[in-house]
Amino acid sequence: QGLLSLPQSPALLASPVLGPVAKARALSEPLVRWTSTPEETLDQFARRRFGEDAGSLIGWLMATGVFAGDPSDLSVAAAFPRMVELERRFGSVLRGALARRRSGVAVRRQAHVVDGGVAALVDACSRLLGDRLVTSFEATGVKSTDGGWEVTGGGVIESEHLVLANGAVVAARLIGAAIGGVLAAERAAPVSIVGIGGRGADPLPGFGVLVGPGAHMRTRGITLESSYAPQTAPQGSYLIRAIVSPHRSERFAGADTDPADDVPAEGVSPEEIVREVEVILGARLDPTLIEIVHHLPGIPQYRVGHVEWLEAID
């Protein structure tokens, strides 16, 4: 659960994952002088601050845990601005993290799960909105009017205000015009979620596991759903979710690609993912449920130039 805050946690440096030389180099991070640099990738930043071994591991786990992306592609200033702020303000990520902790500013994050799942949240919103909620309306276009907005699709909806809650690439197709061309530049990492369930106790207690860069697996990580949220599985059963994404060498999805070409689990059998999860857990699963959900185009990637892209949208 703490993997997402690894760079701000000195406890990582006591982990057996790193050798003594790598630990010594990482511990010397406060001695690394801060100099103003051009926009860096997450990988470049982590290696510069924590050394080659610890830095490459930190960058990989952060990129995987948050974006299912590539640390050599993500902009550290856009994806993890707090790390850049700590370096600029305190001259060191570790020194800044410890200062925040002593001052009480740093708050330990916790995972929260809706009782009854996300469907319960949707049902509650539906009851609140009543007949104002319109579903199964596939929008095909959006344009501004004198009084606000007009959405066309399975009819016409007029509104004073409009919120586009879909991805930038989809929004680009709906809006068109100049801003559509800017939005279409977004890139995303396609992700598939493989749900694995079966009878028996949870194979491992905890929140989840992130897979390191040397494992050569399609599985980037797993969440132990029924361990931290028992209501997600029947009593006496377990539920695990595997996050599957393309290999590092494979391209990101974007407006100029066919989403069908970017399905992360394409060519990978569910049984293969189950075997990978068994290796990660060190346990035999024998699942009775395997279900795959593809998220396309996927998780937006805050690549180098992302801040300028946001400014262009504004």
Side-chain angles (χ1 to χ4, degrees), residues 6-7 12-13 22 25-27 29 32 37 40-63 71-72 74-77 80 83-84 87 93-94:
L6 275 175
L12 166 67
L13 306 182
R25 170 60 182 85
L27 282 169
E29 187 270 340
V32 177
T37 57
E40 290 181 296
T41 66
L42 173 60
D43 183 69
Q44 291 170 332
F45 179 91
R47 289 173 186 265
R48 178 171 60 83
R49 296 303 315 177
F50 297 97
E52 289 295 316
D53 293 336
S56 62
L57 178 63
I58 288 169
W60 174 270
L61 294 177
M62 293 185 72
S72 63
L74 295 172
S75 162
V76 66
F80 299 98
M83 291 180 61
V84 176
E87 182 189 39
V93 176
L94 289 180

Side-chain angles (χ1 to χ4, degrees), residues 81-264:
R82 183 170 296 173
M83 291 180 61
V84 176
E85 177 192 351
L86 290 177
E87 182 189 39
R88 290 177 178 173
R89 182 178 175 186
F90 297 95
S92 160
V93 176
L94 289 180
R95 190 185 303 126
L98 291 173
R100 284 172 57 85
R101 181 172 297 179
R102 285 195 296 266
S103 66
V105 174
V107 178
R108 183 176 178 84
R109 292 179 173 84
Q110 294 180 318
H112 298 276
V113 180
V114 178
D115 188 15
V118 176
L121 182 62
V122 175
D123 290 341
C125 293
S126 171
R127 289 193 299 271
L128 179 66
L129 292 171
D131 57 10
R132 291 174 293 171
L133 175 65
V134 179
T135 61
S136 302
F137 184 101
E138 185 174 352
T140 57
V142 170
K143 67 178 182 179
S144 60
T145 64
D146 292 338
W149 299 90
E150 182 179 277
V151 182
T152 56
V156 177
I157 295 178
E158 295 181 347
S159 176
E160 293 183 13
H161 304 284
L162 173 71
V163 176
L164 288 173
N166 37 30
V169 173
V170 176
R173 291 198 293 265
L174 293 175
I175 296 176
I179 191 172
V182 178
L183 289 172
E186 181 199 55
R187 291 296 177 267
V191 171
S192 293
I193 305 298
V194 181
I196 304 169
R199 299 289 298 173
D202 287 301
L204 190 70
F207 181 82
V209 178
L210 291 176
V211 177
H216 304 294
M217 291 183 175
R218 282 277 187 169
T219 303
R220 298 291 289 266
I222 60 175
T223 55
L224 306 164
E225 300 287 314
S226 52
S227 176
Y228 70 83
Q231 70 272 27
T232 58
Q235 190 171 6
S237 300
Y238 66 85
L239 177 63
I240 298 169
R241 293 192 197 199
I243 297 91
V244 182
S245 68
H247 288 305
R248 194 176 214 171
S249 60
E250 297 175 353
R251 58 186 167 79
F252 289 121
D256 56 348
T257 65
D258 183 350
D261 294 336
D262 293 297
V263 176

